[in-house]
Amino acid sequence: MKLEHKIVTRMFMYITGLFVMTIGIAISVKSNLGVSPVSSIPYTMTCIWGIEMGKATILFHCFLVLLQVVLLRKNYKFKNISQIVVGIMFGYFTTFCNWGVSFFPDSQNIIIRMCMLIISTLLLALGIFLYMPPEIMPLAGEGTIQAVADVSGIAFPKVKIGFDVSMVTISLITCLTFIKSFGSVGIGTIIAAVLVGLELWYITKYFGSMRDSWLKNNE
C-alpha cells in the first residue's frame, strides 16, 4: 500500500505539472506575442501547415525521440521510448487547453496581452517545478538535450541554451520563408526564454522545500 501511495503521489505531481505547462503554452498562444522556445516549432507547424497544435506537438516529440536514437545509438535506453507516450499526453493537454482559452475574447490591448504573457511564463515555470522532481520520464525536449550533453560532453545547461536558440532560429527562418512573417516567434519568445528560468529559480527557492517535504512524507 505504501508503494502504491508513493507512485500515486508522484504521478499526480508529474501529470499536474505537465498540465499546468500546457495551460501556460495556451495562454502564450492567446497573447499573440510569440510562444516560448519549447513550443516554437509545434506552433510554427500550426502557422504554416495548419496542423492542430496538439498534433504538431506529438509529431515533434516523436521526431525528438528518433533524434535521441540516432545520437545515442547502442547507448539508447529502450525505456526512453515512453517519452512518446508522454508526448502524446502533452499534445492532448495542449489541444484541450487551447480549446479552453479559445472561449476568451482576443485583446488588442498591449497591457492585457503582456499580462497574459507574464502569467504564461509563471505557469510554465510552475509546471516544470512540479513535473521534474518525481523523476518519472522527462519530456522529449529534455531527453534530447541530455542525449546531446552525453554525446558531446557539454554541460546540460549550456546545451539547453543552444537547443532553445536553435528551435527559435529554425522557427523564425521557417516562418519568414513560408508565410513571410515572424509566426510563432515574437517579443514573448525572448521574454519567456529569460523569465521562465528566473521564475523557476525563485519558485524553487521559496517553495522547493515544501514540495520536497510533501513528496518525502508520501513515500
Side-chain angles (χ1 to χ4, degrees):
M1 183 64 69
K2 187 176 180 179
L3 178 60
E4 291 178 357
H5 188 62
K6 174 182 176 181
I7 293 173
V8 169
T9 299
R10 289 184 172 272
M11 284 298 299
F12 174 77
M13 182 177 287
Y14 178 80
I15 294 173
T16 299
L18 292 178
F19 187 69
V20 169
M21 285 178 68
T22 57
I23 297 174
I25 291 170
I27 294 175
S28 72
V29 171
K30 190 70 174 178
S31 74
N32 200 29
L33 290 173
V35 298
S36 61
V38 71
S39 305
S40 59
I41 289 183
Y43 192 48
T44 294
M45 295 166 67
T46 298
C47 292
I48 296 174
W49 294 292
I51 303 173
E52 192 275 320
M53 191 174 173
K55 294 178 181 178
T57 298
I58 293 171
L59 290 173
F60 183 55
H61 277 71
C62 290
F63 168 77
L64 289 178
V65 171
L66 179 61
L67 181 59
Q68 291 175 47
V69 174
V70 172
L71 288 171
L72 296 173
R73 300 181 183 180
K74 64 180 181 180
N75 293 322
Y76 181 78
K77 297 179 180 179
F78 187 73
K79 67 177 184 179
N80 290 338
I81 203 74
S82 61
Q83 287 175 8
I84 293 178
V85 177
V86 178
I88 292 172
M89 179 171 62
F90 196 71
Y92 278 110
F93 282 171
T94 300
T95 298
F96 177 79
C97 290
N98 280 335
W99 170 79
V101 300
S102 69
F103 292 98
F104 293 92
D106 295 326
S107 175
Q108 300 303 316
N109 187 308
I110 189 63
I111 296 177
I112 293 176
R113 291 165 64 192
M114 285 298 296
C115 288
M116 292 172 65
L117 178 64
I118 299 302
I119 291 171
S120 76
T121 63
L122 282 168
L123 289 171
L124 281 168
L126 179 60
I128 296 170
F129 171 79
L130 293 173
Y131 116 87
M132 290 294 288
E135 298 180 340
I136 293 175
M137 180 57 63
L139 287 166
E142 280 75 31
T144 303
I145 294 169
Q146 187 62 61
V148 173
D150 291 343
V151 170
S152 66
I154 301 173
F156 184 95
K158 292 182 179 180
V159 178
K160 168 67 173 170
I161 294 171
F163 184 78
D164 286 350
V165 170
S166 297
M167 286 198 294
V168 171
T169 302
I170 291 170
S171 298
L172 181 59
I173 293 173
T174 305
C175 286
L176 288 174
T177 301
F178 286 94
I179 59 177
K180 311 302 180 185
S181 75
F182 291 153
S184 63
V185 181
I187 185 64
T189 307
I190 299 172
I191 292 173
V194 175
L195 278 188
V196 172
L198 184 61
E199 290 164 346
L200 177 60
W201 185 84
Y202 275 107
I203 292 172
T204 303
K205 178 181 179 180
Y206 291 105
F207 300 102
S209 59
M210 186 186 305
R211 174 202 61 193
D212 297 340
S213 177
W214 186 74
L215 273 177
K216 184 177 180 180
N217 290 336
N218 284 278
E219 289 183 355

